[in-house]
Amino acid sequence: MRLAMWSGPRNLSTAMMRAWGSRADTFVTDEPLYGHYLAATGRDHPGRDAVIAAQGTDWRAITAWLTGPIPEGRAIWFQKHMTLHMVAAVGRDWLARIEHAFLIRDPGEVLRSYARVVADPRPEDLGFSQQRALWEDVLQRTGKQAPIVDARDVRSAPAATLQALCAALGVPWDPAMLRWAPGLRPTDGVWAPHWYSDVIASTGFSPWTPPRGELPARLEPVLAACRDDWRFLKERALQIDGAQRMS
């Protein structure tokens, strides 16, 4: 199985990559279209030049690799993707040749985290509209509703949420997904020192806690622009017993 998991930034996606990377049957890949995105948009992210140099900008070569043989002879290829990296220039026919899952997070929580690294976030930087459009595109191309999991559910009920995700994807549950060793991985992107400090120190999913402090007023319009797409996805997310519900 080639599994693309689509999320926005600061959605617990790297911890999810750690969980899948803890399985003996799974190879993981970190944001393979990031270099193309940075070159196409001109966004000035930390480590921009190193990312482009490491990954290149040829989306055709990248997606051909992603749909090719699974590295190291593994049974599953977990591909961590950001929805915002699927800019208009990237073709989409390859989406029908792999499986998909989506990881979402409350936009208020995303904004608080993202703004600590990028000072001027825009709605399109958070990927909610792209995530909804991509979920609908995958449905049209494959005839299947790709499973959606909420990062809050992952943190408040990790075993139940990951078991439900594995069941929805038709892969066996592996308790190894709940724990991992701290530190960097050879499969981490070159941008890891800029973005992954919490995950580097982690050994599992930390419990969910309510966000602290008020959202800065300057970010309120960004939050408002993301809400409808977030709620569309949230309404279709897997329902997890014992998980914290959205207020």
Side-chain angles (χ1 to χ4, degrees), residues 64-78:
W65 174 61
L66 294 173
T67 55
I70 299 178
E72 300 181 1
R74 305 291 178 90
I76 300 170
W77 188 354
F78 178 87

Side-chain angles (χ1 to χ4, degrees), residues 2-48:
R2 294 159 190 81
L3 172 62
M5 175 160 265
W6 299 94
S7 75
R10 318 311 284 173
N11 274 24
L12 207 71
S13 57
T14 307
M16 184 66 77
M17 182 174 68
R18 286 285 188 274
W20 284 89
S22 297
R23 297 175 61 112
D25 61 358
T26 301
F27 182 84
V28 300
T29 293
D30 196 5
E31 300 182 30
L33 291 166
Y34 193 9
H36 180 271
Y37 164 80
L38 291 174
T41 63
R43 291 295 281 166
D44 187 18
H45 283 197
R48 167 190 163 84

